[in-house]
Amino acid sequence: MSYSTAFSQALSIVVYTAVKIEEGYTDYVSARQLSENMEIPNPTVVKILQSLNRFGLITTKEGARGGIRLAKAPEKITVLDVFSAMELDRPLFKFSLPSTLKDDKSQLVGGKIEQVLSQAESDMKARLAATKISDLY
């Protein structure tokens, strides 16, 4: 598997932000607060926030009362949106047959393996697309 922990960290950040703002705790959540409360190093939080911002999932505000907030309602953001922001189009499974296996049987088996792995990834993405941020709290 090749996905990073940044996806699960980003998902936690998005949910945390949604909850804190919905509870009226704050209008914006600071990167420092995210780092401290989520126990994620600040440079990692900043990198995650840049990716989420680039994909239009959060908005930012500078200044003493600044920070981040969701760009859309939690009901309009899916887990797949967060996943896509963090993982781009990287495949979950990296598979290739060894170059020494060029016979027909090996090629058939390799094709079937690729098909199963591709379907597993498609199924996972469908499940992520069906889950909204608001479903997680």
Side-chain angles (χ1 to χ4, degrees):
M1 292 184 156
S2 64
Y3 294 143
S4 68
T5 58
F7 165 58
S8 59
Q9 291 170 326
L11 190 56
S12 297
I13 286 170
V14 169
V15 171
Y16 179 89
T17 300
V19 168
K20 289 299 178 189
I21 290 173
E22 190 173 288
E23 289 176 346
Y25 176 77
T26 185
D27 288 332
Y28 287 86
V29 178
S30 72
R32 181 182 60 45
Q33 180 183 356
L34 290 168
S35 178
E36 290 172 2
N37 292 329
M38 306 301 298
E39 296 183 346
I40 302 170
N42 195 58
T44 302
V45 168
V46 170
K47 195 171 187 179
I48 289 169
L49 296 180
Q50 288 170 343
S51 294
L52 294 172
N53 191 40
R54 190 172 29 252
F55 270 74
L57 299 179
I58 62 167
T59 59
T60 60
K61 178 181 173 185
E62 301 220 8
R65 297 183 153 239
I68 69 145
R69 64 180 299 120
L70 301 185
K72 303 182 235 179
E75 302 81 33
K76 299 199 183 268
I77 300 174
T78 67
V79 176
L80 182 62
D81 293 331
V82 177
F83 175 83
S84 296
M86 300 313 300
E87 297 299 336
L88 307 171
D89 285 328
R90 287 187 286 261
L92 173 58
F93 302 104
K94 294 179 181 176
F95 173 79
S96 64
L97 282 174
S99 60
T100 56
L101 299 176
K102 295 184 188 226
D103 60 278
D104 291 343
K105 181 70 173 179
S106 295
Q107 294 299 313
L108 179 66
V109 169
K112 288 181 178 184
I113 291 171
E114 285 180 5
Q115 184 179 21
V116 166
L117 297 178
S118 177
Q119 185 61 53
E121 185 166 5
S122 293
D123 292 347
M124 178 198 72
K125 287 181 177 180
R127 179 70 176 111
L128 297 180
T131 306
K132 310 227 179 314
I133 295 302
S134 57
D135 296 332
L136 300 177
Y137 61 96

